[in-house]
Amino acid sequence: MEAPLSLLEHYKTKQPVTCGHVGALTKEETDKLRQLWQLVIDEFDRTDSEPLRVLFRLSDSDALYEDDGLTSLSFEPLVPLSSKDRAQSESATPESELQSESVMQSESTTPNGTPLSNKIARAGSGLLGWMSSGRSTPASTSPDEDAAAQQRRRESVQDHVQRTQHHTTPLVPAPFVPLFKQPEQTRTFRSAFWQAATQTRNADSWVLRFLRARKWDVCAAFAMLRKALEWRAGQALDEIMFYGESQLHMHTMKSGLAFACTRDRLNNPVFVIRVRVNMARERSIAAIKRFLCWQIETSQLLASGVDGRVTLVFDMSGFTRDNIDLQLVRTLITLLTNYYPETLGVMLIYVNSLLFSGLWALIAPFIDPNVKAKIILARNASGLVPFIDRKCLPVELGGSKAFKYEYVVPEINENSCMGDVKARGVVERTFGDAVDAYERATRTWLTSKSDDVSVDAGHERDSAREAVCKAFDALDPYVRARTLYHRLESI
């Protein structure tokens, strides 16, 4: 049996990573997939299962979510950005919120079990000491900055569009209503599962992510899957995607902190994160968490043909002390490790900085090994070219692709269909019927004795899966606000 290709060999030969993916499963892996699906179906059938709670405020959160440091992604107001107003905001911040921001996700620990946040807190003086500070340097704004300017610097996309286009029409013309007629404060395991699993257009692909992340340990994979759904429900990700950019920070969107602009040699969409434009003092941590989740969820639309995998390029050029933001680093690592497993194709860190070397030495030991194996340090464009063809690499990264990020604000009526409650009801019922049929086909598949290790037993499940995809495509415009990538015709 041939040894599997290394990550770099996959890129050199342009052979997609297929090991452990749909269409390339061994008999043992197919059996593991069946076992995990059986646990999922059993959970669907439970009548005594507690609903998954939606957490909108820190005061509503319980220990599970306080530990992960990612609570309250939904509609918290953006913090004031002037030094005076920020000081007032911080002095009024509840102690529970300060504590929540100072802790890392409970699974992100040192090898001896010490929480990463505790390790960082003891990093000492000097370089690592000030890098590990929990709060940013106060904003250096002019004392003469007027209240209107301060307000513009912290406004949402919705606020910006209404101010600059002189109208009061909301960008999303309807209140949020969860799928499957769920109440606003809770989600069932089943509804949360289908809201997540349909993002990859193949529920098997989504389920397999957890098996690969947990080394094919079925019980561990199910525990991870369940925790991910609890987190998704708790953060109301379906609501975040419903309102989309309208509730994101206009300054963050305009700055080009993160954006998709090309594809790598395996056809994965490439997201560039320009660290030099990240100033923690210019937005609240809740705003950046919401922004990152929106970007990752949106990336699944761009990556639907490559099993949901994306490539990240951290552009560290121009990186200074002001750009150091361990809140952002911890958040991104936690998201990729615990809630979006196997989403990362490769992470390229484009850097030539002694300052970053100190930061990397601090965080590298605590990154999940599965994620760390996909991190490549590149000191120049030549280090990126093995993964991204030079003609596809933006000029600002040393390539020849002419690309300049410019944020295109939402159009007033681009989400008008979201206000058509009757039409949504029709397509949502069709989607619900398709999901029911897929679940029935899956139950039949679980009891079948097929020896085929590479495809589903029979055609019924294949047809049902295609029906789910078609129904979800019809439903999507009613439950997800259009995105920048729709306006750029990338989707």
Side-chain angles (χ1 to χ4, degrees), residues 381-395:
S382 297
L384 300 175
V385 168
F387 304 92
I388 306 171
D389 193 292
R390 191 177 292 273
K391 68 176 182 292
C392 298
L393 193 64
V395 170

Side-chain angles (χ1 to χ4, degrees), residues 209-222:
R209 292 179 179 183
F210 297 91
L211 280 169
R212 294 194 301 271
R214 287 296 176 258
K215 307 298 185 184
W216 301 92
D217 182 326
V218 175
C219 292
F222 180 73

Side-chain angles (χ1 to χ4, degrees), residues 135-287:
R135 290 198 175 273
S136 307
T137 304
S140 55
T141 56
S142 168
D144 299 327
E145 182 180 42
D146 60 30
Q150 294 176 23
Q151 179 63 35
R152 287 195 295 271
R153 292 176 59 220
R154 66 175 185 262
E155 65 187 357
S156 68
V157 172
Q158 174 73 68
D159 295 335
H160 173 81
V161 171
Q162 290 186 338
R163 176 178 62 82
T164 58
Q165 300 187 25
H166 307 292
H167 71 87
T168 59
T169 304
L171 294 173
V172 177
F176 169 69
V177 177
L179 285 177
F180 301 112
K181 299 181 180 179
Q182 296 288 291
E184 291 188 10
Q185 281 70 41
T186 62
R187 306 285 188 272
T188 64
F189 177 90
R190 180 176 180 266
S191 67
F193 176 92
W194 285 112
Q195 193 275 332
T198 49
Q199 304 299 316
T200 62
R201 306 186 63 79
N202 188 335
D204 281 349
S205 295
W206 191 74
V207 169
L208 281 166
R209 292 179 179 183
F210 297 91
L211 280 169
R212 294 194 301 271
R214 287 296 176 258
K215 307 298 185 184
W216 301 92
D217 182 326
V218 175
C219 292
F222 180 73
M224 185 184 194
L225 184 153
R226 181 175 179 83
K227 188 169 185 180
L229 293 182
E230 289 173 346
W231 176 80
R232 292 180 66 90
Q235 308 313 316
L237 285 196
D238 49 356
E239 184 172 8
I240 289 175
M241 299 312 295
F242 182 85
Y243 288 107
E245 294 164 41
S246 70
Q247 294 297 326
L248 297 182
H249 190 193
M250 178 63 189
H251 177 81
T252 302
M253 296 300 296
K254 186 176 180 180
S255 70
L257 171 60
F259 54 87
C261 61
T262 188
R263 290 187 178 268
D264 67 13
R265 292 183 181 273
L266 298 184
N267 202 38
N268 298 325
V270 174
F271 280 75
V272 175
I273 300 173
R274 298 195 295 190
V275 179
R276 65 182 178 274
V277 306
N278 176 56
M279 299 288 184
R281 64 177 178 260
E282 293 182 346
R283 66 347 177 226
S284 68
I285 188 59

Side-chain angles (χ1 to χ4, degrees), residues 29-75:
E29 290 168 346
T30 300
D31 289 341
K32 296 288 188 180
L33 177 61
R34 287 173 182 265
Q35 292 170 35
L36 183 51
W37 262 111
Q38 187 63 63
L39 293 177
V40 169
I41 292 294
D42 289 345
E43 188 68 21
F44 287 172
D45 293 341
R46 286 185 58 185
T47 59
D48 60 343
S49 181
E50 288 290 327
L52 310 182
R53 291 176 52 202
V54 174
L55 309 171
F56 290 101
R57 300 180 303 275
L58 287 167
S59 57
D60 293 334
S61 64
D62 56 22
L64 172 65
Y65 298 96
E66 288 171 353
D67 284 347
D68 71 13
L70 289 174
T71 48
S72 298
L73 294 189
S74 292
F75 307 106

Side-chain angles (χ1 to χ4, degrees), residues 324-338:
I324 293 173
D325 188 354
L326 287 184
Q327 292 273 21
L328 185 150
V329 174
R330 292 196 310 234
T331 297
L332 186 58
I333 291 174
T334 299
L335 290 172
L336 293 175
T337 302
N338 299 317

